[in-house]
Amino acid sequence: MSFRALFCTLFCLIAVPASGQELAEGPANAEAASALPPTLKELREFIDAQQDMDFQTTFHGSSNVLDTTTQGTGQFTTRRPNLFRIKASSGVNAYEYISDGTVLTIYNVHTNAYAQTAARPSVLGNMTLIAGLMAFQARIFDFFAALDQAAAGGGGVKITAKGTESVGGRECDRFDVVTMTEKWESWVEKAAPHLPCKLSSRDVDDPSAMVQINEFTWKKAPTIDPATFQFSPPHGSKKLDIGTLLATPQ
């Protein structure tokens, strides 16, 4: 998918108010949820207890059907309920996304231009809002939401243990996690708190969709300066509306 198409997707998401996007809900006729294995249960409990998260990810996306590929990096710094700063780059594109809890800023690094809109009340809600541009970096939050869904017994989540493998020198337990719409092959570190080492994610019923592979490096006890979540317009920057910012050539 081209970044121009991603821009259009993001514009549509911003133009339409949020309605029930904060949490994924299983259909009424969904199969019974899998019980969380102890490793994933401990991971979920650790994430739920964290006020702050700070991690880096590299990602690679590909579609054999569409013959497209993309790759890049992301730096995520978040604080509950809805503060974050994300630095994301893919090819010639580089963006920062900053929420101070009230205002969400999207900053195009190369054009030195930014746009702002109202922030949603949760980190996950804001990830939904910027999904058009963040689809290749933010799948980790969807994965955590799937674990929440399984733990809540919402139905439609199947979890299968697939043994142990090494990822980047880390010994990891592997699990397949499948919802009604998404499938993850997940590798989580055997050592507590079992943070994800790697995720491979795809849509369940769309053969042309991107398969995305992320690898992660985590700060397990981050110390975050509150100023991280503030946006100060750089010298010479231009404030644009959302549509103009996203339509501007890179």
Side-chain angles (χ1 to χ4, degrees):
M1 181 183 294
S2 70
F3 267 83
R4 182 62 57 85
L6 291 176
F7 295 159
C8 294
T9 302
L10 177 58
F11 181 73
C12 292
L13 285 169
I14 292 173
V16 178
S19 58
Q21 298 183 50
E22 297 295 321
L23 294 174
E25 296 183 1
N29 61 351
E31 298 180 23
S34 298
L36 280 179
T39 297
L40 294 183
K41 182 175 183 291
E42 290 179 28
L43 164 61
R44 178 180 175 273
E45 290 173 348
F46 175 79
I47 294 297
D48 284 352
Q50 299 310 296
Q51 180 74 8
D52 297 339
M53 283 198 295
D54 193 342
F55 63 90
Q56 293 180 330
T57 181
T58 60
F59 69 89
H60 178 270
S62 63
S63 170
N64 292 330
V65 175
L66 298 178
D67 193 27
T68 55
T69 62
T70 185
Q71 60 185 0
T73 62
Q75 169 72 48
F76 288 73
T77 306
T78 72
R79 172 169 292 165
R80 292 185 176 181
N82 66 339
L83 305 178
F84 59 82
R85 178 178 289 266
I86 302 165
K87 299 179 181 179
S89 63
S90 178
V92 299
N93 298 277
Y95 283 86
E96 291 191 27
Y97 308 84
I98 307 99
S99 170
D100 62 8
T102 302
V103 175
L104 169 63
T105 301
I106 304 170
Y107 175 59
N108 185 325
V109 175
H110 293 316
T111 64
N112 197 23
Y114 66 97
Q116 295 180 314
T117 188
R120 290 186 178 175
S122 71
V123 170
L124 179 59
N126 284 291
M127 293 304 120
T128 301
L129 179 63
I130 59 179
L133 287 177
M134 295 302 298
F136 298 122
Q137 297 102 313
R139 298 300 297 274
I140 184 68
F141 297 99
D142 298 327
F143 176 70
F144 291 151
L147 298 186
D148 286 344
Q149 184 181 346
V157 183
K158 295 182 180 180
I159 301 174
T160 307
K162 305 293 286 187
T164 300
E165 297 180 12
S166 178
V167 176
R170 293 168 290 179
E171 190 175 9
C172 300
D173 289 327
R174 179 180 168 185
F175 299 91
D176 284 355
V177 178
V178 183
T179 69
M180 298 297 288
T181 58
E182 297 174 292
K183 176 181 179 179
W184 289 272
E185 296 173 69
S186 63
W187 291 258
V188 299
E189 197 166 5
K190 286 185 72 69
H194 313 297
L195 290 167
C197 305
K198 179 179 175 181
L199 283 179
S200 174
S201 54
R202 70 189 73 195
D203 291 341
V204 168
D205 55 3
D206 184 356
S208 67
M210 281 278 185
V211 176
Q212 179 185 321
I213 298 175
N214 288 69
E215 293 195 25
F216 301 92
T217 302
W218 297 80
K219 291 184 179 178
K220 296 182 180 179
T223 300
I224 302 173
D225 186 339
T228 300
F229 308 113
Q230 302 296 319
F231 176 75
S232 298
H235 177 72
S237 63
K238 305 176 293 292
K239 184 176 183 180
L240 306 174
D241 61 74
I242 294 289
T244 302
L245 178 77
L246 300 182
T248 302
Q250 303 306 294

